[in-house]
Amino acid sequence: MERTLAIIKPDAVERGVIGAIIQRMEAADLRIREMRLVRLTKADAEGFYAVHRDKPFFDNLTDFMSSGPVVVLALEAPDVIRHWRRLMGVTDPAKAGRGTIRREYGTSIETNATHGSDAPETAAFELDFFFKAAHR
Ligand code: GDP
């Protein structure tokens, strides 16, 4: 069994598709082990996306991620990191495959509806970021 951190981003929460996205997780047998609605501060978003701090889009990205509530989830399944990223599709919704969540619900390369950890090490960091006992 493996766990990954999924986020339903502010654009998707605002558009009212939390339920639709969770339905896709459940239909794919990704088990929800933790879930919370949270409002990130700018500093929270900067900490979460620290690996991207040198990217040109860092400031926009952290503004966006702190612009409204998000839903954070710990998903569990065999090979869930890859499985969830396949369901999401690639970063840019315009390039994401038909039937993927980002293609269906994303509206730009930034406002792309969902996040998923990209490797076991990042999943461990990201799960701790939201669900470590001290952070609840
Ligand atoms: P992911 O693993 O598919 O989420 O993509 P990355 O780790 O490369 O980027 C993290 C997040 O930053 C993406 O999900 C987007 O919300 C945002 N992002 C990525 N590339 C760009 C870009 O070129 N411009 C802008 N504005 N945002 C971007």
Side-chain angles (χ1 to χ4, degrees):
M1 273 304 166
E2 185 176 75
R3 285 192 183 201
T4 196
L5 191 275
I7 304 180
I8 303 175
K9 294 186 178 183
D11 58 317
V13 172
E14 177 60 27
R15 294 178 66 210
V17 293
I18 295 173
I21 291 172
I22 287 178
Q23 214 156 39
R24 302 282 288 264
M25 295 168 173
E26 293 186 322
D29 280 334
L30 309 185
R31 313 298 301 187
I32 296 169
R33 296 303 186 205
E34 308 263 11
M35 178 164 83
R36 270 165 52 218
L37 183 79
V38 296
R39 174 78 189 249
L40 301 182
T41 63
K42 173 86 169 166
D44 291 334
E46 288 169 351
F48 181 76
Y49 279 117
V51 291
H52 289 313
R53 65 181 164 267
D54 296 326
K55 301 271 172 60
F57 57 82
F58 183 68
D59 196 44
N60 285 340
L61 171 62
T62 52
D63 275 348
F64 162 57
M65 289 300 289
S66 57
S67 67
V70 300
V71 179
V72 293
L73 307 97
L75 301 181
E76 185 177 79
D79 202 23
V80 69
I81 294 172
R82 272 200 300 173
H83 193 161
W84 172 236
R85 286 180 68 89
R86 250 197 331 268
L87 286 177
M88 288 197 304
V90 297
T91 312
D92 183 353
K95 297 184 181 139
R98 215 179 276 173
T100 62
I101 290 169
R102 282 169 163 174
R103 172 77 165 258
E104 196 153 340
Y105 301 113
T107 47
S108 77
I109 193 165
E110 179 176 275
T111 55
N112 58 4
T114 52
H115 167 85
S117 312
D118 64 1
E121 305 71 43
T122 40
F125 168 79
E126 293 178 356
L127 288 163
D128 269 4
F129 190 93
F130 288 108
F131 297 119
K132 223 181 191 164
H135 298 178
R136 276 167 214 248

